[in-house]
């Protein structure tokens, strides 16, 4: 991050190097996938970006170049399914590495990421699908999750696209196969996003009532610089 930090941030320090103030200067169309992930993929392509360990202790290592390539391949795969700018896409991917491909791919398209826990039941899903106008659902290959989504579909008219990480299932596209066969470049669309467009949408826990939607725009990742 230090390679691109100063491009978007101005700091005022005292004589001892302590931070006095910070000012953000993002472009009008800041996009984390293009302006951070892809830049790192070009500048430090071989540096390790992510280590993923499966439940059965199998490792997958991804460099920043890998993240750039796979986010572009995933964006092309999503585009082939019919996902476009502004679409709400729910990700039920637990801690699988495909989550990070999908998040950055949706940023590149200008679509809205809607992360969701694998613990949601049919009732929970119906509420979220309709409240947010979810168009696509990307799921990990676990029967409980897939069945809950399918049970919710008759009451969720906005959901049109289903994708599962692996395997063959009726009415579901295979994420892994689709990504692997997709083109590895995804040029930045001229109208991909503005800073005020919604990038990610969370649902609150809903402990005292129905969950509420919380939206963040495309400058949201910059806030994490100070954390």
């Amino acid at each position: 991050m230090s390679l691109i930090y100063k491009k978007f941030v101005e700091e005022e320090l005292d004589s001892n190097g302590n931070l006095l103030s910070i000012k953000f200067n993002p472009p009008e169309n800041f996009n984390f996938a293009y302006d951070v992930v892809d830049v790192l993929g070009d500048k430090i392509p071989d540096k390790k970006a992510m280590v993923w360990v499966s439940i059965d202790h199998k490792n997958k290592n991804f460099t920043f170049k890998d993240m750039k390539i796979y986010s572009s391949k995933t964006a092309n795969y999503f585009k082939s399914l019919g996902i476009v700018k502004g679409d709400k896409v729910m990700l039920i991917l637990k801690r699988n590495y495909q989550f990070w491909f999908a998040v950055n791919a949706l940023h590149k398209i200008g679509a809205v990421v809607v992360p969701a826990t694998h613990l949601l039941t049919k009732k929970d899903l119906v509420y979220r699908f309709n409240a947010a106008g979810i168009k696509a659902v990307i799921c990990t290959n676990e029967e409980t999750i897939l069945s809950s989504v399918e049970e919710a579909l008759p009451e969720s008219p906005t959901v049109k696209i289903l994708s599962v990480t692996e395997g063959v299932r009726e009415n579901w596209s295979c994420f892994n196969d689709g990504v692997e066969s997709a083109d590895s470049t995804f040029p930045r669309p001229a109208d991909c996003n503005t800073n005020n467009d919604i990038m990610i949408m969370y649902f609150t826990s809903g402990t005292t009532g129905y969950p509420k939607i919380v939206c963040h725009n495309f400058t949201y990742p910059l806030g994490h610089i100070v954390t």
Side-chain angles (χ1 to χ4, degrees):
M1 288 291 288
S2 60
L3 289 170
I4 56 175
Y5 180 76
K6 292 183 178 179
K7 184 177 180 180
F8 306 118
V9 175
E10 293 180 14
E11 291 181 337
E12 181 184 358
L13 306 177
D14 64 19
S15 58
N16 295 319
N18 297 313
L19 181 65
L20 295 176
S21 66
I22 186 167
K23 180 181 179 181
F24 296 97
N25 298 304
E28 294 181 358
N29 61 343
F30 176 78
N31 186 299
F32 183 78
Y34 292 114
D35 296 322
V36 177
V37 175
D38 282 8
V39 170
L40 292 173
D42 291 334
K43 290 184 177 292
I44 47 173
D46 299 324
K47 186 175 178 61
K48 192 176 294 182
M50 179 171 66
V51 177
W52 179 82
V53 183
S54 67
I55 293 176
D56 55 354
H57 305 293
K58 293 179 181 178
N59 284 28
K60 283 184 177 291
N61 297 321
F62 299 99
T63 64
F64 282 105
K65 180 180 179 180
D66 292 331
M67 298 304 293
K68 176 181 178 179
I69 289 173
Y70 275 104
S71 62
S72 290
K73 289 171 75 72
T74 305
N76 280 309
Y77 165 60
F78 284 165
K79 186 177 178 180
S80 75
L81 296 179
I83 295 172
V84 299
K85 177 183 177 180
D87 283 344
K88 313 301 192 304
V89 181
M90 181 172 285
L91 304 181
I92 311 177
L93 292 170
K94 301 181 75 173
R95 294 184 181 273
N96 292 324
Y97 64 87
Q98 291 95 337
F99 177 84
W100 297 105
F101 297 169
V103 167
N104 286 292
L106 294 172
H107 294 345
K108 289 185 172 183
I109 292 172
V112 181
V113 181
V114 187
T117 174
H118 63 286
L119 300 174
L120 299 178
T121 63
K122 172 195 169 183
K123 180 181 70 173
D124 300 323
L125 290 166
V126 168
Y127 171 74
R128 286 163 173 77
F129 289 163
N130 290 305
I134 299 296
K135 179 178 179 179
V137 185
I138 318 299
C139 285
T140 188
N141 187 23
E142 293 188 17
E143 183 59 36
T144 302
I145 300 171
L146 298 173
S147 296
S148 294
V149 171
E150 290 172 342
E151 290 170 6
L153 291 179
E155 300 174 50
S156 309
T158 64
V159 178
K160 306 295 183 184
I161 299 168
L162 303 172
S163 177
V164 60
T165 50
E166 58 186 339
V168 177
R169 191 179 183 94
E170 186 177 3
N171 298 322
W172 292 75
S173 170
C174 180
F175 181 98
N176 288 351
D177 290 349
V179 169
E180 287 299 333
S181 62
D183 190 87
S184 61
T185 59
F186 192 84
R188 185 173 189 160
D191 63 344
C192 180
N193 68 280
T194 68
N195 287 345
N196 290 326
D197 289 334
I198 300 303
M199 182 193 77
I200 192 165
M201 179 184 290
Y202 292 109
F203 278 86
T204 62
S205 61
T207 51
T208 59
Y210 283 108
K212 304 297 190 298
I213 295 173
V214 178
C215 297
H216 295 283
N217 66 25
F218 272 83
T219 63
Y220 176 60
L222 291 175
H224 290 285
I225 289 175
V226 294
T227 61

